Structure formats: structure tokens, C-alpha cells
Amino acid sequence: MAIIDNAIYVDGVRTENPVTLSETFERMRERDGMGWIGLYRPSEEEIREVAEEFGIHALVVEDALSGHQRAKLERYGDVLFMVLRPARYLDDLEEVEFGEVHVLVGPDFVVTIRHAESPDLGRVRRRLEADPALLAHGPEAVLYAILDEVVDEYTPVLAGLENDIDEIESQLFEENTDATQRIYDLGREVIDFQRATQPLSGMLEALLRGSDKYQVTEELQRYLRDVLDHTLRVSDRATTFRTVLDNALTVESTIVARRQNEEMRRMTELSIRQNDEVKKISGWAAILFAPTLVGTIYGMNFDHMPELHWLFGYPMAVGMMIALGFGLYAAFKRKGWL
């Protein structure tokens, strides 16, 4: 069933529990009370039935049916339409899960339409029913309590985000770690959280500005100002988180660049050392090659070589090999190869 709870209140006290929507509409008029209808993912027929009875604008019906709306506040005559984006933090996944609740507030009715499990509107209803004096302020009191519940549920989300940001700050300067992806992903969650929470302050300010026109009691205005104060604090902390993550991403990029530079320097030093070794090997190979070349030529036993029958031919060949070896050694030493 799309109807989660359905009640009629007179002077802040629950007096009727209608089973059907048509019964709710009838008893509201008879008792001159306030109807509070809670729907969960209702069908198009159920939404249109509510809209027809309370004279709700067709655009509101369209938004309520489509879902996936941004947080906003709109007024159609004497009917107020508010979209809220409650949230909860999934610590294991480091993700913020967003819900969606639509609130329709009229002179003598409240209709809540949830598209997700959050927020727990049953808790809101129990809280108000335990405080008839507050509920006696009318539909605006229900709207206040829903706003208060949604904003209170942001506190654990902030705590979860803050804890993960602290972990990232500790991880930044650890060796052999790369926090770039984690920082980016968490930054996206903070941005989505800001989109859900930042419009609330403007929405509450608009409600307070229209308090006199729509006869919102002074006591209820105090409650709304308290929620506004909490909302501003939530927005400020979310903005701080985003700044911290932006700075962390900059620091991480600097650290990664420094590590890459150090790695390039080590590779360059290794390449230089390898070049030095290659030079030494090449130098010694050249030194050994020169005498070997001379010895090879004179060791081929050709008869027609003038030096073979010369008295000084052998000393000359040996001397040439020694001279070439020392000459090449001196040349390579001077160039720094050896």
C-alpha cells in the first residue's frame, strides 16, 4: 500500500485513522481538523486523487510523479510544495546515499510523499503526537518537524565525511600510497551533499519572510529559525570539507610530482652510471683490441713481410702493441672513460 499512515488531528490530538483517502477527505471536513497523509511511492492515480481533492496544481503532480527533483520550495496559491533531499553516509563505500521526500502543505492538510526509505517520517509523527501543543500550530508545525528531522540526519553524514577526510590527511605523506582517486571520489560526494543542503537556507528564509502573510505563529518561527541556524552550520562545514579536499588534492598532486621527479632523477643517475660502465668496457676493449690486431697480423706467418726477416721486426711489433695500449689508455683516461 502507498498509504503508510493517515490521520486526522484536532487541536494537536489524533482523533481519526481513516483507511482510505476518500474517508480522510470526508472526516476532515466534518471535524474541522487537519489531515496528515503519508504516502510511499504512490501510484499516479493516488497522487491525482489527492491533488483533485485539495486543489493542487498540475505542475506539482508532475513533479511528485517524476521524482529525482532538486531541493526546492514553491508556492501555488495557498499550497506550499517543498522537495527535500535527506541523506545518510555509507562508511564502507565512502558514499552519501540521498533520499527524496515531497511535502505538500495546505491550510488544513499535509501530504508527504517519500521516494526512498529516508527520512523516518514515522519518528517525526511520533514526536509531534507526543507534543500536542506543538502539533496544534497546524500544518506548518509538521513542515517544521520534517525539516528538523532531515537536517538532524545530516549530522552523521558530516561526521562520516570528516572521518574520511582525516584519514586522507594522514595518508597523504605515507610512502608508497596514492590517495588521488580517493580524494577525487570523496570530493564528488561532498559536492553532491552541498547540492542537497545549500538550497535549504534560502528555503527557510523564504518561509520566515512569509510568516506574517500566512499567519505562522511566533513560536513556530522560533523553531524555524533554529533549523535555519543548524542548516547554515551544515552548509559551512560542507564548504570547509570541499576546501580541505581541494587543498588535499593539490598537495597530493605536488607529492606525486615530487616522487616522479625523484624517480626520474634516480633513473637518470642509473643511466649515467651505466654509461660510465659502458665507456670503461669500451675503453678496455679498444686497448686490448689494438695489440691483438698487431699480433694477429704478425702471427699469420706470411713470408713476404719485410719485418719478418728484419732483426728489429719482433721488438718493433711488441713495442707497437705496448705503445698503442698505453696511448689509448691515456686518451680514454683524459676523456674520463676510465
Side-chain angles (χ1 to χ4, degrees):
M1 287 291 291
I3 302 176
I4 301 301
D5 202 346
N6 186 12
I8 297 173
Y9 299 87
V10 178
D11 295 329
V13 178
R14 185 170 187 153
T15 60
E16 294 282 344
N17 300 291
V19 177
T20 63
L21 292 176
S22 58
E23 185 181 351
T24 303
F25 306 145
E26 181 181 348
R27 295 297 179 89
M28 279 176 56
R29 305 297 186 257
E30 290 177 357
R31 291 185 172 273
D32 193 25
M34 177 190 75
W36 182 357
I37 303 169
L39 303 176
Y40 178 68
R41 293 179 178 173
S43 66
E44 181 177 352
E45 181 182 351
E46 289 167 325
I47 291 180
R48 294 195 183 281
E49 183 180 355
V50 171
E52 183 178 351
E53 178 64 30
F54 293 131
I56 296 172
H57 198 280
L59 291 176
V60 177
V61 175
E62 183 180 337
D63 287 346
L65 286 171
S66 61
H68 303 290
Q69 301 290 316
R70 61 180 177 82
K72 62 181 180 179
L73 173 67
E74 295 175 345
R75 185 174 287 279
Y76 297 87
D78 58 356
V79 176
L80 193 68
F81 176 57
M82 180 177 285
V83 178
L84 299 172
R85 299 297 308 277
R88 62 174 182 160
Y89 192 66
L90 307 178
D91 190 58
D92 293 341
L93 301 176
E94 293 189 358
E95 292 181 358
V96 181
E97 182 182 76
F98 295 96
E100 184 172 343
V101 59
H102 299 175
V103 186
L104 294 164
V105 179
D108 57 355
F109 69 88
V110 177
V111 179
T112 57
I113 303 172
R114 284 191 298 124
H115 291 277
E117 296 300 325
S118 180
D120 185 358
L121 296 182
R123 182 165 56 212
V124 175
R125 194 183 287 263
R126 290 190 296 272
R127 172 193 170 188
L128 287 173
E129 288 178 353
D131 188 359
L134 176 59
L135 189 53
H137 288 283
E140 289 81 6
V142 178
L143 179 61
Y144 149 73
I146 295 172
L147 282 165
D148 191 45
E149 178 69 18
V150 170
V151 174
D152 283 347
E153 287 187 0
Y154 289 149
T155 301
V157 177
L158 291 171
L161 290 171
E162 186 173 24
N163 180 67
D164 288 329
I165 290 172
D166 289 342
E167 290 179 2
I168 286 174
E169 289 180 326
S170 300
Q171 185 182 354
L172 280 177
F173 299 99
E174 292 179 2
E175 294 294 332
N176 302 319
T177 59
D178 186 356
T180 305
Q181 185 65 45
R182 187 181 183 190
I183 294 171
Y184 178 80
D185 291 341
L186 198 59
R188 293 301 310 169
E189 297 301 321
V190 170
I191 290 172
D192 290 341
F193 183 69
Q194 284 184 302
R195 288 173 179 165
T197 58
Q198 282 185 341
L200 284 179
S201 57
M203 292 158 60
L204 283 160
E205 289 169 354
L207 283 175
L208 289 168
R209 285 196 299 270
S211 297
D212 293 337
K213 181 178 179 180
Y214 295 100
Q215 299 178 348
V216 179
T217 64
E218 183 63 33
E219 181 68 13
L220 200 54
Q221 290 182 47
R222 294 191 187 98
Y223 285 121
L224 289 172
R225 279 193 288 269
D226 180 66
V227 177
L228 174 60
D229 181 60
H230 293 170
T231 301
L232 291 173
R233 276 186 275 175
V234 168
S235 296
D236 289 344
R237 289 187 67 188
T239 301
T240 301
F241 290 166
R242 186 170 179 181
T243 301
V244 170
L245 286 170
D246 287 344
N247 292 338
L249 190 59
T250 301
V251 171
E252 175 69 8
S253 300
T254 302
I255 292 173
V256 170
R258 187 189 66 187
R259 289 173 181 167
Q260 290 175 339
N261 290 336
E262 290 176 353
E263 185 65 25
M264 289 297 297
R265 180 177 58 81
R266 285 194 295 268
M267 292 177 64
T268 301
E269 291 175 352
L270 179 60
S271 177
I272 291 172
R273 286 197 297 269
Q274 289 177 337
N275 288 338
D276 290 342
E277 294 299 325
V278 170
K279 289 178 182 178
K280 289 180 181 179
I281 294 171
S282 300
W284 284 112
I287 292 171
L288 294 175
F289 173 75
T292 301
L293 177 64
V294 176
T296 301
I297 293 174
Y298 278 87
M300 288 191 293
N301 298 319
F302 291 127
D303 189 55
H304 300 289
M305 294 181 68
E307 294 84 355
L308 292 177
H309 303 286
W310 184 35
L311 178 64
F312 298 103
Y314 175 72
M316 181 198 71
V318 174
M320 186 182 299
M321 288 187 284
I322 295 173
L324 283 172
F326 275 107
L328 289 171
Y329 177 82
F332 291 144
K333 189 72 173 177
R334 187 170 58 253
K335 289 182 176 295
W337 284 30
L338 297 175

